[in-house]
Amino acid sequence: MTDEQATAALGFYLAVRPGGFVVHMNVCEENLRAVREVTLKVLAAVGVDTETAESARLIASELIGNAVRACGNWAPVVVEVEQDDKGIWVKVHDPNPARLPVRSNTAPDDDQAESGRGLWLLDALAPGWDVALTPIGKQVRCLLPAPEAVRIRIAG
């Protein structure tokens, strides 16, 4: 699928690009489910292994969930997932620059907690994630390192 073959539905506009996709959407359970599915499908199509694609899907879900907490249900967000030589980029843009991600006091291994582990998860899967303020909100950017990049960083 190319940009010319983008698909649109109410509150969901998907454009598949070389190595990934971008989707403009209003956040709801149905659209979140669609992003999860398209993440796996598109990354598999470009040769990303299942484990890495699952990690990218998990990161996207977490970032979209954070956007809902910052902006509410039906918020307009832009989700970008793409592969490059560094790894898999997952970026989620929402319209609220004032609500930045904040790490909770929940320990990552607290089996009694029902939430609060998302940023710990990002730290583990995409070390060095960051937030960029933009003219229309903020974008949280995560890089899931390519296995080769991890090996080089560990060896170097």
Side-chain angles (χ1 to χ4, degrees), residues 21 35-45 50 53-55 57:
F21 68 90
V35 168
R36 289 175 179 150
E37 290 172 11
V38 91
T39 300
L40 292 179
K41 183 178 177 182
V42 168
L43 291 178
T50 304
E54 285 287 350
S55 293
R57 179 173 78 159

Side-chain angles (χ1 to χ4, degrees), residues 64-77:
I64 294 166
N66 287 349
V68 169
R69 284 185 282 288
C71 303
N73 289 323
W74 300 102
V77 300

Side-chain angles (χ1 to χ4, degrees), residues 12-17 20-27 31-32 34-36 38-39 56-57 59-65 67 75-82 89-94 139-140:
F12 192 88
Y13 182 84
L14 169 67
V16 177
R17 299 177 172 172
F21 68 90
V22 62
V23 64
H24 297 249
M25 69 180 208
N26 292 98
V27 180
N31 289 345
L32 177 56
V35 168
R36 289 175 179 150
V38 91
T39 300
R57 179 173 78 159
I59 290 169
S61 283
E62 181 58 35
L63 294 181
I64 294 166
V77 300
V78 177
V79 180
E80 295 177 84
V81 177
E82 66 181 337
W89 286 97
V90 179
K91 303 173 186 175
V92 174
H93 194 272
D94 73 55
Q139 183 182 67
V140 181

